[in-house]
């Protein structure tokens, strides 16, 4: 099988020596080409080129969720066509690796490589659904290009946390779970819209859901991990359905304490719940719009401020080796 390995050399949990060992192991079973990313968006370009060449059967990503997101957007630049496109495989190399772990892969790069080779030998694969976010026609964000996400997106509070973490990382800080927790506190203290939300969720044929202070869109469960602990914002979300949404209408200190505790103790059977929590399952088409520009993130990548984002849940978008 002819395969392309896309390597992010800045991946936080792999060393040059580890990468060399993994490359050697993969090359023993595959006709392997290796490409190292050199700039933001390079992995997307490599994924697109793999499709255009027409001879690559498998694209393997050695990196974190951001690198996976870029490759997926490159593979799907012309839209989903699962039977025609190269398959995707992931070797986790980031700090959290939500997509890989949600697929059931080990979080260790060496173990995941062994699992990948076993899956290739046994023919193990599945076709997963993905989310697509785009600018909303008729709004200031209408010209924002569409972009795929693999596990989550968020408009508002959680995206603000992601933006704060990115600023710290650009200043040389390591991405750790403690860093995220500190930025959650700072985002809470500095968020002017936490008591009265500015976000409205609109979907065809349904009444709008108004005054959301937080909106998280999930394509799978868990939503994220704190160390080895999975966190379920939308426990019913799945790669086999469309999109789920968790919205909170208040972020007062008591509400944050309540829902934060529910998130930390969430399970595959039960996520955040209560009179200020809105949980919606298996949505194919909907729009989040805000009265003011708010931070927006996809797959843990901060994408700036948005006032309106239109989401589409696309079932059976891409084949993945598992």
């Amino acid at each position: 099988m002819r395969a392309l390995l896309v390597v992010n050399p800045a991946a936080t949990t792999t060393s040059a020596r580890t990468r060399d060992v993994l490359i050697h192991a993969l090359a023993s079973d595959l006709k392997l080409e290796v490409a190292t990313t050199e700039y933001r968006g390079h992995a997307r370009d490599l994924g697109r080129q793999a499709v255009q060449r027409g001879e690559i059967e498998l694209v393997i990503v050695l990196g974190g969720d951001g690198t996976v997101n870029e490759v997926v957007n490159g593979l799907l630049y012309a839209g989903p066509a699962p039977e025609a496109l190269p398959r995707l495989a992931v070797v986790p190399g980031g700090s959290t690796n939500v997509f890989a772990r949600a697929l059931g892969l080990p979080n260790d790069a060496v173990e995941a490589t062994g699992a990948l080779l076993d899956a290739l030998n046994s023919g193990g694969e599945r076709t997963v659904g993905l989310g697509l976010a785009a600018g909303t026609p008729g709004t200031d964000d209408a010209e924002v290009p569409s972009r795929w996400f693999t596990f989550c997106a968020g408009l508002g509070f959680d995206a603000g946390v992601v933006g704060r973490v990115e600023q710290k990382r650009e200043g040389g800080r390591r991405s750790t779970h403690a860093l995220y927790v500190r930025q959650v506190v700072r985002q809470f203290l500095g968020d002017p819209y936490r008591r009265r939300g500015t976000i409205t969720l609109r979907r065809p044929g349904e009444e709008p859901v108004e005054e959301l202070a937080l909106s998280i869109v999930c394509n799978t469960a868990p939503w994220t991990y704190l160390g080895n602990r999975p966190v379920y914002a939308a426990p019913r979300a799945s790669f086999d359905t469309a999109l789920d949404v968790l919205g909170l209408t208040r972020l007062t200190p008591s509400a944050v304490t309540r829902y934060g505790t529910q998130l930390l103790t969430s399970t595959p059977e039960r996520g955040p719940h209560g009179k200020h929590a809105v949980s919606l399952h298996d949505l194919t088409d909907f729009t989040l719009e805000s009265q003011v520009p708010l931070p927006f993130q996809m797959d843990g990548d901060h994408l700036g401020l948005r006032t309106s984002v239109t989401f589409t849940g696309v079932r059976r978008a891409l084949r993945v080796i598992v």
Side-chain angles (χ1 to χ4, degrees):
M1 181 182 295
R2 187 175 294 277
L4 171 67
L5 174 64
V6 178
V7 178
N8 179 1
T12 55
T13 58
T14 60
S15 64
R17 179 175 295 180
T18 301
R19 291 191 291 270
D20 287 343
V21 170
L22 300 183
I23 290 170
H24 180 76
L26 292 168
S28 65
D29 280 26
L30 300 165
K31 296 179 180 178
L32 189 69
E33 299 178 28
V34 180
T36 300
T37 58
E38 300 175 357
Y39 53 86
R40 187 164 185 163
H42 193 187
R44 179 197 60 227
D45 296 340
L46 292 168
R48 179 170 182 161
Q49 291 163 14
V51 175
Q52 293 172 333
R53 287 172 57 186
E55 58 186 12
I56 299 296
E57 301 170 81
L58 172 67
V59 178
I60 307 168
V61 183
L62 174 52
D65 288 311
T67 310
V68 173
N69 179 279
E70 287 192 12
V71 169
V72 166
N73 276 276
L75 292 174
L76 298 179
Y77 79 96
E83 301 307 317
L85 294 175
R87 287 169 287 177
L88 175 73
V90 180
V91 177
S95 58
T96 310
N97 308 303
V98 178
F99 181 65
R101 294 164 83 176
L103 288 169
L105 296 172
N107 197 37
D108 176 80
V110 175
E111 291 182 17
T113 300
L116 167 59
L117 292 173
D118 289 343
L120 288 171
N121 289 329
S122 65
E125 68 174 59
R126 64 181 293 190
T127 303
V128 300
L130 298 172
L132 183 66
T136 305
T139 70
D140 292 340
D141 294 322
E143 301 303 316
V144 175
S146 60
R147 179 165 170 170
W148 297 89
F149 59 98
T150 64
F151 65 91
C152 82
L155 179 68
F157 185 87
D158 79 302
V161 174
V162 170
R164 288 175 178 272
V165 170
E166 284 195 6
Q167 287 182 338
K168 295 297 183 181
R169 293 186 65 183
E170 289 171 0
R173 301 288 294 276
R174 290 191 60 194
S175 178
T176 64
H177 299 296
L179 176 62
Y180 273 91
V181 171
R182 287 195 296 271
Q183 301 318 309
V184 167
V185 174
R186 290 174 180 171
Q187 180 66 24
F188 171 76
L189 294 175
D191 192 330
Y193 309 113
R194 58 186 173 84
R195 291 185 178 273
R196 186 176 180 86
T198 67
I199 302 169
T200 298
L201 185 151
R202 302 187 187 277
R203 48 189 169 141
E206 302 287 346
E207 290 295 317
V209 181
E210 300 178 322
E211 296 186 353
L212 296 175
L214 175 150
S215 55
I216 296 172
V217 182
C218 294
N219 185 52
T220 189
W223 165 54
T224 190
Y225 291 82
L226 287 177
N228 291 322
R229 177 190 291 274
V231 179
Y232 297 89
R236 293 189 294 167
S238 166
F239 288 127
D240 298 320
T241 61
L243 301 173
D244 282 28
V245 177
L246 170 67
L248 298 180
T249 57
R250 294 187 67 187
L251 289 176
T252 60
S254 60
V256 167
T257 300
R258 181 185 312 114
Y259 295 118
T261 300
Q262 290 179 358
L263 278 170
L264 292 175
T265 58
S266 59
T267 68
E269 291 75 35
R270 192 168 179 83
H273 54 278
K275 66 178 181 178
H276 300 303
V278 177
S279 296
L280 301 172
H281 175 58
D282 198 15
L283 304 186
T284 302
D285 299 284
F286 63 95
T287 296
L288 294 175
E289 59 182 44
S290 173
Q291 301 167 26
V292 298
L294 293 177
F296 179 57
Q297 67 88 12
M298 286 199 295
D299 287 349
D301 187 9
H302 187 266
L303 299 178
L305 302 179
R306 299 283 192 274
T307 56
S308 185
V309 185
T310 294
F311 292 89
T312 305
V314 181
R315 296 178 177 86
R316 297 185 57 80
L318 191 66
R319 291 183 299 167
V320 180
I321 301 297
V322 289

